[in-house]
Amino acid sequence: QSIDFHETLASTNDRGLQLANDPFVVTPSLVLTPAQTGGRGRGANRWWSTAGALTFSVLVSPDVVELPVARHPQISLTVGVAVCEALRQRFPQADIGLKWPNDVFLHEKKVCGILVEVPPQRRDILVIGIGLNVNNSLKSAPAELQATATSLSDAVGNKFELSEILIEVLHMLEQRLAWLSASDPQLARRWEEFSLLRGKTVYIENHQNDIAGICQGIDEEGGLLLRTPSGIERVTHGIVKHFQ
Ligand code: BTN
């Protein structure tokens, strides 16, 4: 285990991908910075964050956690479930939800983004990037984010010890990755339980191949099941643009 801490860093995922090129890289390891300046989101998106946010990446090796890379969609959901559960432990009354495959919502606004990547040179390592808005207020964020995103302190009204939240998330992540490697059926029940999409009309953007339908649930392999005019479609990739 190792911790790679930087006062400032463009992107913890970029640093994680770089570390993964080292043949002697240790896994699991944690890349952490309190000041991420060029955070990346899914697709071409950027990840906005300011002081007070938690931004980190965890390198795990499928050899250690026994995760075949082919199960990638499930990995994203598993990380999402782990964050949801860590938040639920702390805020049992809060309205916490998971937007397939891996956005965590608090009180109907996005509080956490997850970016799982496989280094091109090391297909046996996963870089799991997590951006959780904690003490950073979205009031200082670009206007379009203020309407759709939140932070723990915006939602709850007080500040938190970042290291405590980090430890809670890492601890839950370890446990849920263990469920994934053991193919524990509880995992699929959890992502279904937290899913915000069931019964909703969902619009997916997927490389020119957009699709819309009514969500029937998420299957055990992590596929999103949509009822469309031409039958049930199983979606494994793409970004949910909108749901209602
Ligand atoms: C998304 O919602 O599109 C995913 C956002 C992921 C952001 C995190 S912050 C830590 C890690 N480093 C990055 O550059 N991105 C991820």
Side-chain angles (χ1 to χ4, degrees), residues 11-13 36 39-42 47 55-57 103 110 113-115 129-131:
S11 154
T12 58
N13 260 43
Q36 181 173 258
R40 292 190 289 110
R42 296 182 70 216
W47 180 255
T55 49
F56 62 98
S57 301
D103 289 343
K110 180 164 166 173
I114 293 162
L115 180 65
I130 298 180

Side-chain angles (χ1 to χ4, degrees), residues 73 77 98-101 191-192 195-200 202-204 211 213-228 232-240 243:
L77 279 166
L98 183 60
K99 188 185 86 172
W100 180 95
W191 62 56
E192 195 58 63
S195 176
L196 294 170
L197 302 184
R198 181 175 265 277
K200 299 269 164 70
V202 179
Y203 300 84
I204 306 268
I211 173 168
I214 299 171
C215 178
Q216 308 296 296
I218 302 168
D219 67 17
E220 279 166 19
E221 264 79 56
L224 185 71
L225 304 173
L226 296 183
R227 194 216 308 262
T228 72
I232 300 285
E233 296 267 358
R234 181 173 185 270
V235 183
T236 55
H237 293 91
I239 291 183
V240 173
F243 64 98

